[in-house]
Amino acid sequence: GLVDYVEALVIDPAGNVIVVGQSQASADDWGCVALKYDKLGTMLWAEPARFDPDPMDPNAGNIWVSDAARDAGGNIYVAGSSEYRDGDEWIESALMLKFAAADGARAWSQTYTSATNPQCSFEQVAVRGTLVVGVGGTWINPQDAVVVRYNTSGVQKYARQWGAGNTTSEWYGDVVMDGSYNVYVTGGQWSDDWERCVTMKLRPDLTTVWKATYLPSTEWAEGWYIARNSLGNVYVAEIGRASCRERG
């Protein structure tokens, strides 16, 4: 590629390192690339795993990468978006890819297109057992938060857009799962006057268990990172006013 840069780093069960990022295949085309190395830095795949715009389709646009995760077998899941031209308009759909652990072959690719907004992307991905969950948002305006659950075979099982039809904007920035396959997401909700951090626990079918919000005195906060410990406590790192908050 002309330009390459890293978006995510994944360690598999054997300690091998998978690097996932963007690759500029030509002057106008960006795609996804993944490379697998052993502990000594030797490349394990004969060729990098790639997913590029279809060169035979003049309406196929760029592929953008945001995050990557692995399953117990070391297969790699990549979250991002893909562009496609529909007449005079570029439509951006949320994209989920799977690359095989053995040789980097693309096992499947799935897109999610919002019914309420022309643009949609995944920001983060989490994998546990046979569940793959991508989170992100839609736009133009107002924006809606998006969470989509697939199985490891690439079948979409559930999808939810939080905030569709209301007057505020929403966005999910990170996701984790627990041993019962409940889904924990964090992100933001905002209007013209304020933005608050939102953290939610969702059941495996993506219905809500609880929602917690945080609005600091600065009237601005976004949830960017989420983690869960063995006791079930959930920790969220926010941007706005420097903080880290625990939700139980």
Side-chain angles (χ1 to χ4, degrees):
L2 302 177
V3 179
D4 304 280
Y5 59 89
V6 175
E7 290 288 356
L9 189 68
V10 179
I11 309 297
D12 75 7
N16 301 310
V17 178
I18 300 93
V19 179
V20 181
Q22 295 286 154
S23 178
Q24 190 179 21
S26 66
D28 299 319
D29 295 320
W30 286 88
C32 166
V33 64
L35 305 98
K36 184 175 182 179
Y37 301 92
D38 66 15
K39 298 176 183 178
L40 300 178
T42 302
M43 187 177 291
L44 297 177
W45 292 332
E47 297 289 341
R50 297 194 64 96
F51 186 64
D52 293 299
D54 183 354
M56 303 304 293
D57 187 346
N59 294 314
N62 293 315
I63 308 297
W64 303 110
V65 175
S66 299
D67 190 34
R70 65 163 177 85
D71 62 21
N75 301 298
I76 305 303
Y77 301 81
V78 180
S81 63
S82 63
E83 297 176 340
Y84 195 82
R85 184 167 54 202
D86 182 7
D88 295 331
E89 183 178 15
W90 282 100
I91 303 299
E92 189 167 348
S93 299
L95 175 68
M96 190 71 68
L97 302 168
K98 179 181 180 180
F99 293 115
D103 56 5
R106 179 161 55 92
W108 51 259
S109 60
Q110 294 288 356
T111 57
Y112 175 81
T113 302
S114 169
T116 58
N117 267 315
Q119 315 297 343
C120 183
S121 67
F122 288 135
E123 297 295 330
Q124 297 287 321
V125 56
V127 181
R128 187 156 191 160
T130 60
L131 276 63
V132 181
V133 177
V135 298
T138 75
W139 67 99
I140 303 287
N141 195 32
Q143 299 181 25
D144 304 324
V146 169
V147 53
V148 181
R149 199 193 101 186
Y150 303 91
N151 64 21
T152 48
S153 296
V155 178
Q156 180 182 309
K157 307 299 278 186
Y158 300 99
R160 179 185 177 193
Q161 288 187 210
W162 172 51
N166 66 15
T167 58
T168 57
S169 294
E170 291 80 24
W171 162 81
Y172 289 141
D174 201 8
V175 56
V176 294
M177 283 185 278
D178 65 20
S180 298
Y181 304 108
N182 296 301
V183 178
Y184 300 79
V185 294
T186 193
Q189 182 180 42
W190 64 95
S191 70
D192 291 338
D193 302 315
W194 52 266
E195 181 174 9
R196 62 184 182 177
C197 172
V198 179
T199 304
M200 304 173 71
K201 178 180 178 179
L202 310 175
R203 298 179 182 88
D205 66 358
L206 305 183
T207 57
T208 303
V209 178
W210 53 255
K211 178 176 72 173
T213 62
Y214 174 64
L215 181 64
S217 58
T218 57
E219 297 185 346
W220 181 62
E222 295 177 348
W224 277 35
Y225 303 103
I226 189 169
R228 181 183 177 276
N229 67 12
S230 59
L231 300 176
N233 297 310
V234 178
Y235 298 85
V236 175
E238 304 163 359
I239 186 171
R241 183 177 70 178
S243 60
C244 181
R245 300 182 63 83
E246 175 181 338
R247 304 293 188 190

